[in-house]
Amino acid sequence: MNKIITAAILAFGLLTGSVMADESAIYLVRHAEKQADSDPELTEHGRARAVALAKILHSVDLAKVYSTDTRRTRQTAEPTVADKGLSIETYDPRAFRQYADALKQEFLNGDKSILVVGHSNTTPYLATLLTGEEFPMMSEDQYDRLYVVRKSEDGSLKATIETFNP
């Protein structure tokens, strides 16, 4: 029964807003639900959320997928990279400002979409660094946020926050 409900939700759309496949963006997402451990894997619900993310991004022309080097972030990205035929490139959250600057330049110079999978504290902070807008940290139980960063007409980057569920 749960599989039928999940398929129906996927068929009718997962986002409160909309992902525009023909417009390049940086997609920022926190890893999906995780088990308890020092480097945990995703829960069953987390794996379903990762698949939901891949379905959302299916029609997006992704050029790259970045993730921190943890199991939960890589597992969140895996359905998307499998769908796109890409590989996961890791980034170091300890050099975060440098990563944000490089990511911003890569996006502005390449005009291709990019997915970045991070954590509850790094995802909103990366949105803040990219746009200059202040985004609040996520709570430990928030897994449904997808930050969509796009180039505005004046050349600056602006973010919207969508929600999605498996």
Side-chain angles (χ1 to χ4, degrees):
M1 183 67 168
N2 283 343
K3 290 180 182 179
I4 294 170
I5 292 170
T6 300
I9 291 170
L10 292 174
F12 291 104
L14 297 159
L15 295 175
T16 58
S18 63
V19 171
M20 298 165 66
D22 59 342
E23 187 177 348
S24 63
I26 303 172
Y27 298 93
L28 310 174
V29 68
R30 175 193 185 183
H31 62 78
E33 289 85 342
K34 62 184 171 79
Q35 298 177 13
D37 196 356
S38 61
D39 186 14
E41 294 191 9
L42 296 181
T43 63
E44 182 177 327
H45 192 74
R47 287 189 296 276
R49 186 177 303 280
V51 169
L53 177 64
K55 289 185 183 293
I56 290 166
L57 298 176
H58 177 73
S59 62
V60 172
D61 185 19
L62 279 181
K64 294 239 178 106
V65 176
Y66 291 104
S67 169
T68 60
D69 195 20
T70 63
R71 276 196 267 187
R72 60 193 175 273
T73 54
R74 289 189 314 268
Q75 288 176 345
T76 301
E78 284 171 356
T80 300
V81 298
D83 181 51
K84 299 294 184 182
L86 297 171
S87 60
I88 298 170
E89 297 187 32
T90 58
Y91 68 93
D92 184 355
R94 293 172 297 206
F96 210 60
R97 283 192 181 273
Q98 297 89 335
Y99 173 67
D101 290 342
L103 178 64
K104 186 174 187 176
Q105 288 309 309
E106 178 182 7
F107 175 67
L108 291 173
N109 294 332
D111 201 34
K112 294 270 188 168
S113 292
I114 300 168
L115 170 64
V116 180
V117 183
H119 302 271
S120 62
N121 59 342
T122 63
T123 300
Y125 184 52
L126 183 54
T128 296
L129 290 175
L130 291 170
T131 65
E133 300 173 55
E134 189 70 32
F135 290 94
M137 292 297 124
M138 288 186 230
S139 67
E140 275 302 306
D141 63 349
Q142 284 182 310
Y143 295 95
D144 65 347
R145 303 295 189 267
L146 177 64
Y147 295 72
V148 182
V149 179
R150 292 189 174 98
K151 186 176 170 181
S152 64
E153 288 184 19
D154 67 5
S156 64
L157 296 182
K158 301 288 184 199
T160 58
I161 302 173
E162 310 288 347
T163 58
F164 73 104
N165 288 295

